[in-house]
Amino acid sequence: AQSVAQPEDQVNVAEGNPLTVKCTYSVSGNPYLFWYVQYPNRGLQFLLKYITGDNLVKGSYGFEAEFNKSQTSFHLKKPSALVSDSALYFCAVRDGNTDKLIFGTGTRLQVFP
Amino acid sequence: DAGITQSPRHKVTETGTPVTLRCHQTENHRYMYWYRQDPGHGLRLIHYSYGVKDTDKGEVSDGYSVSRSKTEDFLLTLESATSSQTSVYFCAISGEGGSGNTIYFGEGSWLTVV
């Protein structure tokens, strides 16, 4: 069965510093990996995805993520955090054999001025 | 925005009453999903649909039923609401193209069962 783990409930980072939000996954087939962001009282917004090809994926708002097959990880990164990046971030995986998108429990990112 | 409208956006209902949430899309996408979001659990898939009249269960389908009689509408019904179904419900859609297709979300429906 497919699953996603986000080991950190919260990540705190100072504005201007690099940020990393961690995600590991488990699937039986080829993984399709996604990151979403959620602002308070809103739906989820798509940030980026990995399907195949380059292990470094670039997405919206300056975010990028690195796919690491050997470590089954797909960590979200940004070189320089902004206060406006503060939000809830979800990693998700879709097994190539199913239509289901399975989410992690989410990581709250807090960027301090 | 992905052209997804959820209704109602907020609802308070009593235990034991039936409740139907509606998701309407204007994208003509084949796949539609219902998720619920709860603290500590992230988003969990309730049911999904891969075409008109074609639906399947997700992780937390007990107590819920769905129907899809038209491409654009996907209804989620709580036959007899319980307090454990107090949650935020999100509809999502995805087009053709396989598992790499992006899933887009609506703005959510806040349901409180008292």
Side-chain angles (χ1 to χ4, degrees):
Chain A
Q2 58 197 89
S3 65
V4 178
Q6 293 182 245
E8 302 155 316
D9 289 337
Q10 180 154 330
V11 170
N12 299 317
V13 64
E15 187 174 33
N17 282 2
L19 69 88
T20 299
V21 182
K22 296 180 181 176
C23 171
T24 59
Y25 67 90
S26 174
V27 296
S28 55
N30 291 325
Y32 298 86
L33 296 153
F34 301 78
W35 276 102
Y36 287 82
V37 61
Q38 185 182 34
Y39 297 99
N41 300 315
R42 301 296 303 278
L44 277 71
Q45 296 179 28
F46 169 72
L47 277 180
L48 52 80
K49 66 182 177 183
Y50 171 83
I51 302 175
T52 186
D54 272 346
N55 289 341
L56 186 63
V57 178
K58 294 189 182 298
S60 306
Y61 313 121
F63 283 93
E64 57 191 26
E66 186 169 11
F67 172 67
N68 188 317
K69 188 173 183 179
S70 63
Q71 297 185 5
T72 62
S73 66
F74 189 55
H75 300 332
L76 181 71
K77 300 181 180 184
K78 188 174 183 182
S80 179
L82 300 172
V83 172
S84 58
D85 292 331
S86 299
L88 189 56
Y89 290 81
F90 288 97
C91 181
V93 66
R94 204 171 186 180
D95 189 312
N97 298 321
T98 78
D99 300 317
K100 302 177 185 179
L101 188 63
I102 302 300
F103 284 83
T105 52
T107 298
R108 187 164 300 282
L109 174 65
Q110 191 72 44
V111 181
F112 294 95
Chain B
D1 290 344
I4 307 170
T5 303
Q6 292 186 226
S7 60
R9 293 292 314 281
H10 296 87
K11 186 174 182 65
V12 179
T13 192
E14 293 185 350
T15 299
T17 60
V19 176
T20 295
L21 305 180
R22 179 180 182 242
C23 179
H24 178 78
Q25 58 142 332
T26 58
E27 306 296 323
N28 201 36
H29 279 350
R30 177 182 174 191
Y31 295 92
M32 297 185 77
Y33 306 81
W34 277 108
Y35 285 87
R36 60 178 288 175
Q37 182 178 14
D38 304 288
H41 292 279
L43 277 86
R44 293 179 291 175
L45 181 64
I46 305 171
H47 282 281
Y48 68 104
S49 169
Y50 45 95
V52 173
K53 292 188 169 58
D54 291 324
T55 65
D56 204 351
K57 295 179 180 180
E59 308 167 75
V60 290
S61 58
D62 287 348
Y64 301 95
S65 63
V66 291
S67 66
R68 191 165 178 203
S69 58
K70 299 185 290 184
T71 298
E72 57 266 35
D73 290 327
F74 192 33
L75 304 181
L76 176 71
T77 297
L78 290 65
E79 301 291 347
S80 177
T82 67
S83 58
S84 64
Q85 294 176 311
T86 292
S87 187
V88 185
Y89 292 86
F90 288 98
C91 175
I93 65 174
S94 178
E96 297 287 353
S99 297
N101 249 22
T102 300
I103 292 180
Y104 295 96
F105 284 80
E107 289 295 293
S109 293
W110 273 254
L111 177 68
T112 301
V113 183
V114 297

Short mmCIF file of all heavy atoms in Angstrom, two decimals, chain B residues 4-27:
data_model
loop_
_atom_site.label_atom_id
_atom_site.label_comp_id
_atom_site.label_asym_id
_atom_site.label_seq_id
_atom_site.Cartn_x
_atom_site.Cartn_y
_atom_site.Cartn_z
N ILE B 4 -13.76 24.76 -9.63
CA ILE B 4 -14.44 23.83 -8.73
C ILE B 4 -15.25 24.64 -7.73
O ILE B 4 -14.71 25.54 -7.09
CB ILE B 4 -13.42 22.97 -7.95
CG1 ILE B 4 -12.45 22.28 -8.90
CG2 ILE B 4 -14.15 21.94 -7.09
CD1 ILE B 4 -11.28 21.62 -8.19
N THR B 5 -16.51 24.29 -7.60
CA THR B 5 -17.38 24.96 -6.65
C THR B 5 -17.96 23.94 -5.69
O THR B 5 -18.54 22.94 -6.13
CB THR B 5 -18.53 25.69 -7.36
OG1 THR B 5 -18.00 26.61 -8.31
CG2 THR B 5 -19.39 26.44 -6.35
N GLN B 6 -17.77 24.20 -4.40
CA GLN B 6 -18.35 23.31 -3.40
C GLN B 6 -19.51 24.02 -2.70
O GLN B 6 -19.43 25.21 -2.42
CB GLN B 6 -17.29 22.93 -2.35
CG GLN B 6 -16.18 22.05 -2.89
CD GLN B 6 -15.26 21.59 -1.79
OE1 GLN B 6 -14.04 21.64 -1.92
NE2 GLN B 6 -15.81 21.08 -0.70
N SER B 7 -20.57 23.26 -2.42
CA SER B 7 -21.69 23.83 -1.68
C SER B 7 -22.32 22.77 -0.77
O SER B 7 -22.36 21.59 -1.14
CB SER B 7 -22.74 24.39 -2.65
OG SER B 7 -23.23 23.37 -3.50
N PRO B 8 -22.79 23.18 0.41
CA PRO B 8 -22.57 24.50 0.99
C PRO B 8 -21.14 24.66 1.47
O PRO B 8 -20.41 23.68 1.60
CB PRO B 8 -23.54 24.50 2.19
CG PRO B 8 -23.60 23.06 2.60
CD PRO B 8 -23.52 22.27 1.32
N ARG B 9 -20.72 25.87 1.71
CA ARG B 9 -19.36 26.10 2.21
C ARG B 9 -19.30 25.88 3.72
O ARG B 9 -18.29 25.47 4.25
CB ARG B 9 -18.91 27.52 1.89
CG ARG B 9 -18.72 27.79 0.42
CD ARG B 9 -17.52 27.01 -0.19
NE ARG B 9 -16.33 27.09 0.62
CZ ARG B 9 -15.51 28.12 0.66
NH1 ARG B 9 -15.75 29.18 -0.11
NH2 ARG B 9 -14.44 28.10 1.42
N HIS B 10 -20.38 26.17 4.40
CA HIS B 10 -20.46 25.95 5.84
C HIS B 10 -21.83 25.39 6.17
O HIS B 10 -22.84 25.85 5.63
CB HIS B 10 -20.26 27.26 6.62
CG HIS B 10 -18.91 27.86 6.45
ND1 HIS B 10 -18.60 28.71 5.42
CD2 HIS B 10 -17.76 27.70 7.15
CE1 HIS B 10 -17.35 29.07 5.52
NE2 HIS B 10 -16.80 28.47 6.56
N LYS B 11 -21.81 24.37 7.07
CA LYS B 11 -23.09 23.79 7.49
C LYS B 11 -22.98 23.26 8.90
O LYS B 11 -21.97 22.63 9.25
CB LYS B 11 -23.52 22.68 6.53
CG LYS B 11 -24.92 22.13 6.84
CD LYS B 11 -25.38 21.15 5.81
CE LYS B 11 -26.79 20.65 6.11
NZ LYS B 11 -27.79 21.73 6.01
N VAL B 12 -24.02 23.52 9.69
CA VAL B 12 -24.16 22.91 11.00
C VAL B 12 -25.40 22.03 10.95
O VAL B 12 -26.47 22.48 10.53
CB VAL B 12 -24.31 23.98 12.11
CG1 VAL B 12 -24.46 23.30 13.46
CG2 VAL B 12 -23.11 24.92 12.11
N THR B 13 -25.26 20.80 11.37
CA THR B 13 -26.37 19.87 11.32
C THR B 13 -26.42 19.06 12.60
O THR B 13 -25.45 19.02 13.37
CB THR B 13 -26.24 18.94 10.10
OG1 THR B 13 -27.47 18.23 9.91
CG2 THR B 13 -25.12 17.92 10.30
N GLU B 14 -27.54 18.40 12.81
CA GLU B 14 -27.70 17.61 14.02
C GLU B 14 -27.37 16.14 13.78
O GLU B 14 -27.54 15.61 12.66
CB GLU B 14 -29.14 17.73 14.53
CG GLU B 14 -29.47 19.12 15.03
CD GLU B 14 -30.86 19.20 15.65
OE1 GLU B 14 -31.63 18.23 15.53
OE2 GLU B 14 -31.17 20.26 16.25
N THR B 15 -26.91 15.49 14.81
CA THR B 15 -26.61 14.06 14.74
C THR B 15 -27.83 13.28 14.25
O THR B 15 -28.95 13.54 14.68
CB THR B 15 -26.19 13.53 16.13
OG1 THR B 15 -25.02 14.23 16.55
CG2 THR B 15 -25.91 12.05 16.08
N GLY B 16 -27.58 12.38 13.32
CA GLY B 16 -28.64 11.53 12.81
C GLY B 16 -29.32 12.05 11.56
O GLY B 16 -30.10 11.33 10.93
N THR B 17 -29.05 13.28 11.17
CA THR B 17 -29.68 13.83 9.97
C THR B 17 -28.83 13.54 8.74
O THR B 17 -27.61 13.43 8.83
CB THR B 17 -29.90 15.34 10.08
OG1 THR B 17 -28.62 15.97 10.25
CG2 THR B 17 -30.79 15.68 11.26
N PRO B 18 -29.46 13.41 7.58
CA PRO B 18 -28.69 13.22 6.35
C PRO B 18 -28.14 14.56 5.86
O PRO B 18 -28.77 15.60 6.04
CB PRO B 18 -29.72 12.66 5.37
CG PRO B 18 -31.03 13.17 5.87
CD PRO B 18 -30.91 13.30 7.36
N VAL B 19 -26.97 14.49 5.25
CA VAL B 19 -26.33 15.69 4.72
C VAL B 19 -25.74 15.37 3.35
O VAL B 19 -25.13 14.31 3.17
CB VAL B 19 -25.18 16.16 5.64
CG1 VAL B 19 -24.46 17.37 5.03
CG2 VAL B 19 -25.69 16.50 7.03
N THR B 20 -25.93 16.28 2.41
CA THR B 20 -25.32 16.10 1.10
C THR B 20 -24.47 17.31 0.77
O THR B 20 -24.93 18.45 0.87
CB THR B 20 -26.38 15.90 0.01
OG1 THR B 20 -27.07 14.67 0.24
CG2 THR B 20 -25.72 15.83 -1.38
N LEU B 21 -23.23 17.05 0.39
CA LEU B 21 -22.31 18.08 -0.08
C LEU B 21 -22.18 17.93 -1.59
O LEU B 21 -22.07 16.81 -2.10
CB LEU B 21 -20.95 17.94 0.60
CG LEU B 21 -20.94 17.93 2.12
CD1 LEU B 21 -19.50 17.78 2.63
CD2 LEU B 21 -21.58 19.18 2.69
N ARG B 22 -22.14 19.06 -2.25
CA ARG B 22 -22.08 19.03 -3.72
C ARG B 22 -20.77 19.61 -4.20
O ARG B 22 -20.28 20.62 -3.69
CB ARG B 22 -23.24 19.81 -4.31
CG ARG B 22 -23.25 19.87 -5.84
CD ARG B 22 -24.44 20.66 -6.34
NE ARG B 22 -24.52 20.70 -7.79
CZ ARG B 22 -24.45 21.81 -8.52
NH1 ARG B 22 -24.30 22.98 -7.91
NH2 ARG B 22 -24.55 21.77 -9.83
N CYS B 23 -20.22 18.97 -5.21
CA CYS B 23 -19.04 19.48 -5.90
C CYS B 23 -19.38 19.63 -7.37
O CYS B 23 -19.84 18.66 -8.01
CB CYS B 23 -17.88 18.52 -5.74
SG CYS B 23 -16.38 19.06 -6.60
N HIS B 24 -19.16 20.81 -7.89
CA HIS B 24 -19.45 21.10 -9.28
C HIS B 24 -18.19 21.59 -9.96
O HIS B 24 -17.52 22.49 -9.46
CB HIS B 24 -20.55 22.16 -9.38
CG HIS B 24 -20.88 22.56 -10.77
ND1 HIS B 24 -21.68 21.81 -11.61
CD2 HIS B 24 -20.50 23.64 -11.50
CE1 HIS B 24 -21.79 22.40 -12.77
NE2 HIS B 24 -21.09 23.51 -12.74
N GLN B 25 -17.86 21.02 -11.13
CA GLN B 25 -16.66 21.44 -11.86
C GLN B 25 -17.04 21.89 -13.26
O GLN B 25 -18.00 21.41 -13.86
CB GLN B 25 -15.66 20.29 -11.95
CG GLN B 25 -16.20 19.04 -12.63
CD GLN B 25 -15.21 18.35 -13.51
OE1 GLN B 25 -14.29 18.96 -14.07
NE2 GLN B 25 -15.37 17.03 -13.66
N THR B 26 -16.25 22.83 -13.75
CA THR B 26 -16.48 23.35 -15.11
C THR B 26 -15.35 22.97 -16.06
O THR B 26 -15.24 23.52 -17.15
CB THR B 26 -16.62 24.88 -15.06
OG1 THR B 26 -15.42 25.43 -14.48
CG2 THR B 26 -17.83 25.30 -14.24
N GLU B 27 -14.50 22.04 -15.64
CA GLU B 27 -13.31 21.68 -16.43
C GLU B 27 -13.51 20.43 -17.29
O GLU B 27 -12.62 20.04 -18.03
CB GLU B 27 -12.12 21.43 -15.48
CG GLU B 27 -11.83 22.58 -14.54
CD GLU B 27 -11.41 23.83 -15.28
OE1 GLU B 27 -10.69 23.69 -16.31
OE2 GLU B 27 -11.80 24.93 -14.86
#
